[in-house]
Structure formats: structure tokens, C-alpha cells
Amino acid sequence: MLVKTTGNGLSVPSEILTEMRRLDEEQKRAKKRLDEFKKAMFDAMEKENLQSFDGGTFKVSYVEAQEYKDIDKAKLREFYPEIVEECSIIKTKKAFIRITWRDEDEGANETSPW
């Protein structure tokens, strides 16, 4: 067992904590680098007005910014539920790209919206 309970707390070996910290830091560095790659792809697709790109083992789709209605919860609490339309505000949803990973044999797909 990696972690044990002690009745009023946890007992975690120092090597486990060291490994967890290393993995957490590694994950943060990897996420930062991945975000840089995604931003470069996003910027290039926006600049060239590309809606999608098929790279063989992956496909990138550009999803445009969108406006949508949302409920202002403070106003909703102040008024009655029947006045939902009066409490609606227009927001803009940020544009993003969606990457769909493919196996070499075109088996299961894994989609990651960013």
C-alpha cells in the first residue's frame, strides 16, 4: 500500500512524495509546452483562415468564437424565475481548436478540446 492511514492522518513515504512532486512539476512543464504548441497551431489556422487540417494521425478543427446567452445569477436570485429572459446577458465564447487523435489502424479516437 502506497499510503496508510494512521487513525488521525496519513503516512506517506518520502520517496512517494518526492515522486509525486517530480511528476507534478513535469506535468506543469509539459502542459506549458503543449499550450505553446496549441497556440502556434491556433494562430496559424486563424491567420490562414483554415477551418480544419488533417495531419494523418491527427485532425485539428478551428472552432470560431461564439456569442451565447447566459443567466446572471445575481439578478435571478433578486427576481423570480419567470423573469429569466430579463436576467439574460450576452457573452462571447472564446474560439478554440479541437484535436482528434487517431490510432495507426484508425481504431478508437480520442478528442481533446482546447
Side-chain angles (χ1 to χ4, degrees):
M1 192 177 260
L2 297 176
V3 178
K4 297 178 182 177
T5 57
T6 62
N8 63 348
L10 298 176
S11 174
V12 184
S14 62
E15 55 272 3
I16 298 291
L17 293 174
T18 300
E19 180 71 2
M20 288 175 63
R21 184 173 186 153
R22 184 190 67 76
L23 290 170
D24 185 55
E25 290 170 356
E26 185 178 309
Q27 180 183 30
K28 288 176 184 174
R29 283 191 304 273
K31 183 185 180 323
K32 182 179 178 183
R33 189 73 174 132
L34 183 60
D35 287 345
E36 290 171 1
F37 291 146
K38 291 188 293 187
K39 180 169 181 357
M41 292 173 89
F42 177 89
D43 291 345
M45 289 182 76
E46 209 165 46
K47 180 181 177 185
E48 297 298 324
N49 198 26
L50 292 174
Q51 296 302 307
S52 67
F53 172 77
D54 192 333
T57 59
F58 69 98
K59 179 179 178 182
V60 180
S61 300
Y62 177 87
V63 181
E64 294 183 15
Q66 303 170 22
E67 285 190 349
Y68 63 96
K69 281 189 177 182
D70 198 8
I71 301 297
D72 183 331
K73 292 175 181 78
K75 284 186 181 179
L76 186 60
R77 286 185 207 100
E78 184 179 342
F79 298 106
Y80 298 102
E82 304 88 50
I83 312 175
V84 170
E85 187 60 35
E86 185 175 325
C87 299
S88 296
I89 58 176
I90 303 294
K91 292 185 176 183
T92 300
K93 186 174 180 179
K94 184 179 171 183
F96 64 96
I97 61 172
R98 179 176 296 125
I99 299 175
T100 304
W101 297 103
R102 297 185 192 133
D103 294 336
E104 294 296 324
D105 61 356
E106 290 296 317
N109 289 341
E110 180 182 328
T111 302
S112 299
W114 289 296

